[in-house]
Amino acid sequence: MTSNEDSETANANQIESISLDKVALTILYDAVGQELEYTLEVTNTGNVTLSNVTIADPLTGTIQNIGTLAPGLSTIVYTSYTVDQDDLDNGSVTNIATATGTPPSQSEVQDTDNAVVLARQDIAIALVKSSEFLAGEECSEAGDEILYTFKVYNMGNVSLSEVALTDPLLEGPISGPVGDTDQDGELDVSEIWTYTSSYEITQADIDAGEVVNQATVTAIGSEKQVQDLSGDQAGNDEELVTEICQTPSIDIVKTDNGSVVDAAGDVITYTLTVTNTGNVTLSNVLVTDPLTG
């Protein structure tokens, strides 16, 4: 009796592959502290079992070991990230995650995916101005000063840079700002910047009974020109009208210059001195003297 044996080895076509799909569940964000939610779905797209399957998301601080994942199966991990001021200033949050796994060959496989969430940036500024008389009263004289105080508010949700305050009425320097708490040169959402300057009252102002002043503040937010609440391309405050009280008054003094008369026909010479004793200019000043005509 005779026998014969033969064998043949067929090698399997092993496909070692992993896929990560990262999806942002939040479409837009617009506030510090807002939570951005994500799903990370890892799938074994090969035909061999993967072990030590791990998802790493540095932005959210998530590192999760899923363990073993059979071919064709998926696992979803949920994670979230808290928005800070830098995220609003930057205008978007880009999140990159990585999935890794170890196949039987021990040659690690990996895949990365990212998700971008955009910010809804509100870029707005407001300017509020107030005034007070340094002399302490409204009935001022020419040369007295009005102290102006300017408060600049960030009315949006992003930090503002290149803040510039201008006031055509003021010739002297504008001091400030006071209120840049972190000394970064940017008007943060939580800050209020204060500027001050003074204006010397003229006689024309007193004659008008008021000083009208309007200032403008400009800034840049996230590389865009700032807008005030009215939509203008600058922060314009309302016209500030500082009332100056008017006290019109006139006085006349008549003297005979010490004239002495002792006979008919003698002449008496009079001097009439008219004085503006108020604080406004008088026009059409008229002196009448019925006795002398």
Side-chain angles (χ1 to χ4, degrees), residues 189-213:
V189 175
S190 60
E191 294 178 342
I192 302 173
W193 285 7
T194 302
Y195 301 79
T196 57
S197 189
S198 59
Y199 169 72
E200 188 174 290
I201 299 170
T202 66
Q203 186 59 53
D205 297 325
I206 298 174
D207 293 344
E210 63 185 20
V211 175
V212 180
N213 190 11

Side-chain angles (χ1 to χ4, degrees), residues 86-100:
D86 288 339
D87 299 321
L88 281 168
D89 294 345
N90 292 335
S92 65
V93 171
T94 300
N95 191 357
I96 302 175
T98 302
T100 58

